[in-house]
């Protein structure tokens, strides 16, 4: 019972110059009430100051506002951030762009594994994830602005192979969130979408001689939490804070206060999805879905890649998909929008480090990811566009480790208008921005590294399909109704290789009704 504290009492454990690690995936497992207490303390006392803040995923609400890491966006409070994703923290991005704090961006899985290594008493992590991307010191070493000068990532050659060595910081404070704490400080996670980073953050802090503060919504007597449900043992927890405002500061996700299915408590009918209306997004999703094999274990990125799941459901092929989500769910139906990170009816839920063990091992059959900028070498940028810095999240971990990588996106951006009629693609209005560019701002995916890894990589748009080859990007399919020169080559800043036998994309992709995806997948069973 001596561990029970108010939020304002607990955050006094944080000292000037400390390195603070937090759990969180958007608002899931995010200790929002503790963040508010830290902000309030700083605004009143100007302490603590010069903190280094580290987290694996985007922490906050994608709609913006003063949530998540934005509570730390005050001059003097932060010295440095090492984060996996900036997308939900516009105020932190502004500070990085204005060189008011040091900005570093590491892959989500790497952050989780670095902290696990620190919890094991190690000083860093050796990994091939990130080679030839902007993680690599030969590119930018994960530095996101001029103020970031320290080399936190090193290039190492071991037995003739290149690796990246990510330095593990000493963790002074871990701020985590669970559901229930008992009098001994044991923490369970029964109402969360996953364990997130809580366990490894706590272990990293204790291995560094630091302290652990846990936010919960329930408090019970010792022995009332079943031992196997304890996610973080009380011997690692120094302070427990009971949330005063569950609705605001202890939401399951930005979109849900609590959902039994997303917590894995019970199965719910997911209902029949309304078929997608015919559009360029549906065409891309249909063509991408043709890359599925029976019982595919997959990961879907945000945006256009999500249409793959919708197409599979419409075609009666959901049973051929096993979906996974970076936060820790395997199986079920990934939730989108403000519930992103959760899954309905998951088969299992684990923590982020274990989920990224699964990804790094190459167990995924295929990943469907967004297509923002691509160059002739097949390199992809999804992480930085001028002052807009979404960051990489789990993109690098997954794209460098998966056997088949399928990039999905429209051919141009910014006002593109497309009609699908009479089984053809009609470009009504071309987008203002070209996606296939001579130079891209940041390398989030390296085509050269993918070729060395033996990966199969294709790039699917509404009007053309490309493949990664040793010679560069090769055009292999063109949609009916599309003119090679007018609609493809003139809208690219480089000349792709053109295959000798360029095919017309399957006309079923552009027709109303079912496209016969089930037969396409079943035909691969004996291959």
């Amino acid at each position: 019972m001596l561990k029970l504290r108010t939020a304002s009492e607990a955050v006094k454990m944080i000292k000037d110059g400390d390195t603070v690690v937090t759990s969180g995936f958007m608002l899931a497992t995010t200790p929002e009430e503790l963040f508010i207490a830290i902000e309030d303390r700083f605004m009143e006392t100007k302490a603590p100051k010069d903190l280094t803040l580290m987290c694996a995923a985007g922490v906050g609400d994608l709609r913006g506002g003063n949530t998540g890491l934005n509570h730390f966006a005050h001059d003097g409070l932060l010295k440095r951030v090492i984060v996996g994703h900036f997308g939900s923290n516009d105020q932190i991005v502004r500070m990085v762009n204005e060189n008011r704090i040091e900005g570093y961006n590491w892959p989500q899985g790497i952050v989780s594994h670095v902290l696990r290594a620190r919890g094991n008493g190690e000083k860093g992590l050796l990994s091939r994830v990130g080679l030839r991307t902007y993680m690599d010191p030969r590119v930018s070493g994960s530095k996101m602005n001029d103020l970031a000068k320290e080399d936190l990532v090193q290039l190492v050659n071991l037995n003739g192979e290149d690796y990246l060595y990510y330095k593990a910081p000493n963790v002074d404070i871990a701020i985590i969130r669970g559901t229930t704490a008992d009098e001994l400080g044991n923490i369970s996670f029964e109402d969360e979408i996953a364990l997130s980073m809580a366990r490894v953050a706590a272990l990293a802090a204790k291995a560094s001689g630091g302290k652990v503060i846990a936010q919960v919504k329930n408090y019970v007597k010792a022995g009332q939490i079943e031992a196997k449900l304890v996610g973080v043992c009380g011997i690692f927890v120094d302070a427990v804070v009971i949330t005063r405002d569950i609705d605001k500061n202890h939401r399951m996700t930005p979109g849900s206060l609590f959902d039994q299915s997303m917590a894995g408590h019970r199965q719910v009918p997911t209902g029949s999805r309304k078929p997608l209306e015919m559009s360029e997004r549906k065409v891309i999703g249909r063509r991408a879905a043709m890359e599925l094999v029976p019982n595919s274990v997959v990961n879907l990125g945000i945006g256009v890649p999500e249409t793959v799941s919708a197409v599979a459901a419409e075609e009666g092929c959901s049973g051929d998909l096993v979906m996974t989500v970076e936060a820790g769910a395997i199986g079920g139906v990934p939730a989108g929008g403000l519930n992103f990170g959760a899954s309905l009816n998951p088969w299992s839920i684990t923590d982020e480090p274990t989920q990224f063990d699964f990804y790094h091992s190459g167990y995924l059959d295929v990943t469907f990811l967004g297509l923002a900028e691509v160059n002739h070498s097949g390199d992809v940028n999804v992480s930085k566009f001028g002052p807009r810095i979404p960051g990489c999240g789990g993109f690098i971990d997954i794209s460098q480790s998966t056997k088949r990588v399928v990039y999905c996106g429209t051919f141009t951006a910014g006002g593109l208008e497309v009609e699908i009629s009479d089984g053809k693609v009609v470009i009504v209005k071309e987008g203002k921005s070209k996606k296939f560019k001579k130079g891209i701002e940041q390398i989030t995916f390296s085509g050269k590294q993918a070729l060395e890894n033996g990966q199969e990589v294709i790039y699917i748009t509404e009007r053309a399909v490309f493949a990664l080859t040793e010679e560069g990007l090769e055009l292999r399919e063109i949609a009916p109704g599309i003119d090679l020169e007018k609609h493809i080559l003139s809208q690219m800043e480089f000349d792709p290789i053109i295959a000798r036998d360029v095919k017309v994309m399957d006309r079923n992709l552009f027709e109303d009704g079912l496209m016969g995806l089930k037969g396409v997948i079943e035909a691969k069973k004996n291959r």
Side-chain angles (χ1 to χ4, degrees):
M1 293 182 68
L2 296 177
K3 296 183 180 183
L4 196 60
R5 300 282 188 277
T6 65
S8 58
E9 289 171 341
V11 300
K12 289 179 181 177
M13 294 180 177
I14 306 172
K15 305 294 190 297
D16 292 350
D18 275 356
T19 292
V20 177
V21 171
T22 179
S23 64
F25 192 108
M26 289 177 62
L27 291 183
T29 70
T30 293
E32 181 77 2
E33 196 148 313
L34 292 172
F35 290 174
I36 292 171
I38 293 169
E39 181 180 35
D40 289 345
R41 180 187 171 203
F42 180 79
M43 298 306 290
E44 292 175 8
T45 69
K46 297 303 177 185
K49 60 185 179 181
D50 297 329
L51 301 180
T52 292
L53 185 62
M54 189 174 188
C55 63
V59 178
D61 192 326
L62 287 173
R63 293 170 293 189
N66 197 32
T67 64
L69 302 191
N70 279 341
H71 289 293
F72 293 82
H74 299 282
D75 288 324
L77 177 52
L78 289 180
K79 172 189 175 184
R80 170 186 294 174
V81 291
I82 307 170
V83 300
H85 196 265
F86 288 96
S88 50
N89 305 117
D90 58 325
Q91 296 173 46
I92 294 293
V93 169
R94 187 176 301 114
M95 296 184 80
V96 170
N97 282 327
E98 294 173 358
N99 280 297
R100 291 155 60 193
I101 57 175
E102 301 171 22
Y104 295 85
N105 180 212
W106 286 3
Q108 182 181 346
I110 289 296
V111 174
S112 68
H113 287 170
V114 163
L115 291 175
R116 186 171 63 188
R118 187 69 195 91
N120 195 34
E122 300 169 14
K123 299 297 183 181
L125 175 76
L126 204 62
S127 176
R128 290 179 60 79
V129 171
L131 283 170
R132 293 198 177 95
T133 72
Y134 67 100
M135 297 302 118
D136 197 316
R138 294 169 294 189
V139 184
S140 64
S142 78
K143 300 170 184 174
M144 303 302 286
N145 61 5
D146 294 335
L147 203 59
K149 298 186 182 300
E150 186 177 350
D151 296 325
L152 300 184
V153 186
Q154 298 175 346
L155 181 67
V156 177
N157 189 277
L158 184 64
N159 297 326
E161 283 196 89
D162 286 341
Y163 292 84
L164 297 182
Y165 181 74
Y166 296 85
K167 296 180 182 178
N170 288 321
V171 178
D172 300 293
I173 299 287
I175 304 176
I176 65 174
R177 190 185 103 181
T179 300
T180 302
D182 69 11
E183 295 170 325
L184 302 176
N186 296 311
I187 310 294
S188 61
F189 294 77
E190 64 270 21
D191 288 351
E192 313 301 325
I193 66 165
L195 269 72
S196 180
M197 293 286 297
R199 182 181 292 145
V200 291
L203 291 173
K206 302 315 287 186
S208 305
K211 296 185 180 300
V212 178
I213 307 170
Q215 173 183 314
V216 298
K217 64 179 183 180
N218 305 319
Y219 190 69
V220 298
K221 291 185 178 296
Q224 289 191 356
I225 301 176
E226 186 178 341
K228 286 186 287 187
L229 296 181
V230 173
V232 177
C233 183
I235 62 173
F236 303 117
V237 177
D238 297 281
V240 173
V241 174
I242 304 173
T243 307
R244 294 179 297 177
D245 190 340
I246 293 175
D247 289 358
K248 181 180 177 183
N249 300 331
H250 207 103
R251 301 184 64 82
M252 174 176 263
T253 68
S256 297
L257 178 61
F258 176 65
D259 184 295
Q260 290 193 8
S261 175
M262 292 194 293
H265 290 317
R266 67 185 181 96
Q267 300 277 302
V268 297
T270 54
S272 57
R273 292 189 181 184
K274 182 181 179 181
L276 294 174
E277 293 185 5
M278 182 56 73
S279 68
E280 65 274 17
R281 290 170 60 92
K282 184 169 186 175
V283 167
I284 296 167
R286 280 179 156 186
R287 176 59 187 84
M290 292 175 69
E291 299 301 314
L292 294 169
V293 298
N295 302 313
S296 293
V297 181
V298 308
N299 173 271
L300 300 178
I302 303 175
V304 176
E306 292 179 299
T307 61
V308 174
S309 175
V311 166
E314 180 182 341
E315 298 279 334
C317 300
S318 293
D320 287 293
L321 292 174
V322 180
M323 304 285 197
T324 69
V325 180
E326 292 95 314
I330 297 176
V333 180
L338 296 176
N339 291 323
F340 180 71
S343 286
L344 298 170
N345 305 335
W347 296 4
S348 69
I349 298 176
T350 187
D351 61 0
E352 283 182 48
T354 304
Q355 190 77 320
F356 279 93
D357 286 336
F358 172 80
Y359 292 148
H360 288 180
S361 72
Y363 191 79
L364 286 175
D365 292 302
V366 60
T367 183
F368 300 92
L369 300 170
L371 187 157
E373 292 181 345
V374 187
N375 66 15
H376 181 270
S377 300
D379 301 333
V380 176
N381 172 33
V382 297
S383 49
K384 189 176 189 301
F385 310 92
R388 189 163 65 90
I389 309 176
C392 59
F395 186 96
I396 295 177
D397 302 278
I398 295 168
S399 65
Q400 281 201 331
S401 306
T402 305
K403 304 164 189 174
R404 186 183 296 113
V405 182
V406 180
Y407 288 106
C408 308
T410 57
F411 199 81
T412 60
L416 173 67
E417 295 180 15
V418 175
E419 286 184 1
I420 312 297
S421 61
D422 298 325
K424 296 179 181 180
V425 175
V426 178
I427 307 300
V428 177
K429 181 181 177 182
E430 195 60 79
K432 296 177 182 178
S433 302
K434 292 180 171 65
K435 289 188 174 183
F436 293 83
K437 309 181 74 170
K438 283 184 179 179
I440 59 178
E441 187 168 355
Q442 202 164 64
I443 299 176
T444 329
F445 172 81
S446 166
K448 184 175 181 180
Q449 189 64 38
L451 290 169
E452 285 192 12
N453 293 344
Q455 295 169 271
E456 179 185 346
V457 186
I458 64 174
Y459 309 76
I460 296 174
T461 74
E462 79 286 351
R463 69 187 78 173
V465 178
F466 299 85
L468 180 63
T469 72
E470 292 286 350
E471 291 73 33
L473 217 60
E474 181 178 82
L475 175 64
R476 292 191 174 175
E477 299 177 30
I478 300 178
I482 290 297
D483 180 87
L484 174 61
E485 182 59 44
K486 179 181 179 181
H487 298 128
I488 296 178
L489 299 183
S490 70
Q491 297 301 320
M492 302 176 71
E493 293 183 358
F494 61 86
D495 293 328
I497 301 161
I498 299 178
R500 292 181 180 179
D501 58 343
V502 176
K503 296 179 174 59
V504 176
M505 292 172 70
D506 191 327
R507 291 186 180 274
N508 288 325
L509 302 176
F510 309 94
E511 300 283 359
D512 290 325
L514 299 181
M515 61 168 283
L517 180 62
K518 200 165 190 66
V520 172
I521 295 175
E522 289 179 352
K524 301 177 183 180
K525 282 186 177 179
N526 297 320
R527 289 186 183 179

